[in-house]
Amino acid sequence: MSLVFAQPSSDHTKVEEGLAFTPRFDSHGLVTAVVTDAEDGMLLMVAHMNAEALALTVETGIAHYYSRSRKALWKKGETSGNLQTVVELRTDCDQDAVWLRVKVAGHDATCHTGRRSCFYRSVDIADGAVTLTVRDDIRHFDPDTIYDKK
Amino acid sequence: MSLVFAQPSSDHTKVEEGLAFTPRFDSHGLVTAVVTDAEDGMLLMVAHMNAEALALTVETGIAHYYSRSRKALWKKGETSGNLQTVVELRTDCDQDAVWLRVKVAGHDATCHTGRRSCFYRSVDIADGAVTLTVRDDIRHFDPDTIYDKK
């Protein structure tokens, strides 16, 4: 990794209106990454990136994240084959989040459950109680076959 | 606020496949909220919600967030008039993020800079250096007029 990000300016206007990419990593060294399908805009996943993951993503054009549960760099799709090629990368006003428009390889599935998107359930109110409803139950791959269960 | 969320199960399968909405708030008591336009799917903003903001959003159908900079509940659009009516709320596999599909009132603008979306700049590589390019510079309102400058 050769890319090093400059420190954000303390001037809000520079961060919001400038053309310098100076990501604002949080106290854990992470920015939020929103991932949508470049073709139809479907929200596929939300993840996090540290500076290394962000630099690798920019340099290689393949999405890399930081897994908070595994505490490790995470090349998305390395096991499942569902790599994400970045079509466009954007950042938001205060530069603490990035948006990746991607093309998904392999099974065209992003969620580790085998579904296309991680957002397969809606939150609904029924009789005053909150419940979930499954909106997409199509499995594009079998997680038990793809992932090594240790 | 009357809605109280149950604690997440320690069983991953229940969290991922169950129909109980048990949001996994992080160590700061927050979940990530991704906000898209219900009509055309445009990514408008990324924010955070604490339990109070999430409950108010579910109960009222109007998006509420938690402002990390102001350390306060934030009814989005209260000042600008650009309230967000929630058309659909979803959660992701591990229930630490929510997705709001919204209809924006007022100026149909979400970013405090006056633009429709907070993601108005793309990250690009030019001559081996990273730079930003403005992709949307249309101001739907004048921030200096709308917001009280203290």
Side-chain angles (χ1 to χ4, degrees):
Chain A
M1 183 183 89
S2 58
L3 197 61
V4 175
F5 301 106
Q7 288 295 314
S9 169
S10 58
D11 178 347
H12 281 209
T13 306
K14 281 191 183 161
V15 170
E16 294 171 3
E17 302 299 334
L19 297 182
F21 183 42
T22 54
R24 292 203 310 131
F25 297 101
D26 68 11
S27 59
H28 302 288
L30 302 174
V31 290
T32 305
V34 176
V35 186
T36 63
D37 190 296
E39 205 153 304
D40 68 1
M42 177 67 188
L43 175 62
L44 300 177
M45 62 183 275
V46 171
H48 296 82
M49 289 179 172
N50 60 5
E52 185 185 10
L54 183 54
L56 280 168
T57 299
V58 171
E59 288 174 345
T60 67
I62 302 292
H64 292 70
Y65 305 98
Y66 178 80
S67 168
R68 294 184 301 175
S69 54
R70 291 195 299 266
K71 296 187 188 358
L73 184 74
W74 167 31
K75 184 178 180 181
K76 172 71 187 167
E78 199 165 27
T79 305
S80 66
N82 300 323
L83 294 169
Q84 299 174 341
T85 301
V86 180
V87 173
E88 187 182 36
L89 180 67
R90 290 196 181 195
T91 191
D92 69 345
C93 45
D94 59 0
Q95 302 200 30
D96 65 353
V98 293
W99 171 23
L100 291 83
R101 293 179 53 234
V102 305
K103 195 174 157 64
V104 180
H107 310 91
D108 194 17
T110 295
C111 187
H112 74 289
T113 65
R115 296 176 180 92
R116 185 184 173 209
S117 163
C118 295
F119 291 85
Y120 49 83
R121 288 170 299 181
S122 62
V123 180
D124 304 289
I125 293 198
D127 300 325
V130 176
T131 183
L132 298 178
T133 309
V134 175
R135 299 293 172 183
D136 176 19
D137 215 13
I138 299 171
R139 314 287 178 132
H140 297 254
F141 62 84
D142 175 10
D144 289 342
T145 309
I146 294 287
Y147 300 111
D148 188 20
K149 296 276 177 185
K150 279 174 190 163
Chain B
M1 184 184 88
S2 58
L3 197 62
V4 175
F5 301 105
Q7 288 294 313
S9 169
S10 57
D11 178 347
H12 280 207
T13 306
K14 282 190 181 160
V15 171
E16 294 172 1
E17 302 299 334
L19 298 182
F21 184 41
T22 54
R24 292 202 310 130
F25 298 101
D26 68 11
S27 59
H28 302 287
L30 304 174
V31 291
T32 306
V34 176
V35 187
T36 63
D37 189 296
E39 206 153 305
D40 69 359
M42 178 66 189
L43 176 62
L44 300 177
M45 61 182 277
V46 172
H48 295 82
M49 290 180 172
N50 61 5
E52 185 185 9
L54 184 54
L56 281 168
T57 300
V58 171
E59 287 174 347
T60 66
I62 302 293
H64 292 69
Y65 304 98
Y66 178 82
S67 166
R68 295 184 299 177
S69 54
R70 292 195 300 266
K71 296 187 190 357
L73 183 74
W74 167 32
K75 185 178 180 180
K76 172 70 188 168
E78 200 166 26
T79 305
S80 66
N82 299 324
L83 293 169
Q84 299 175 340
T85 300
V86 180
V87 173
E88 187 182 36
L89 180 67
R90 291 197 181 194
T91 191
D92 69 344
C93 44
D94 59 359
Q95 300 200 33
D96 66 352
V98 293
W99 171 24
L100 292 83
R101 294 179 52 233
V102 305
K103 195 173 157 62
V104 179
H107 311 89
D108 195 17
T110 295
C111 187
H112 74 288
T113 64
R115 296 176 180 93
R116 184 184 173 209
S117 163
C118 295
F119 291 85
Y120 49 83
R121 290 171 298 183
S122 63
V123 180
D124 304 289
I125 294 197
D127 300 326
V130 177
T131 184
L132 297 178
T133 309
V134 175
R135 299 293 171 182
D136 175 20
D137 215 13
I138 300 170
R139 314 287 178 132
H140 297 253
F141 62 84
D142 174 10
D144 289 341
T145 310
I146 294 285
Y147 300 110
D148 187 21
K149 295 276 175 188
K150 281 174 190 162

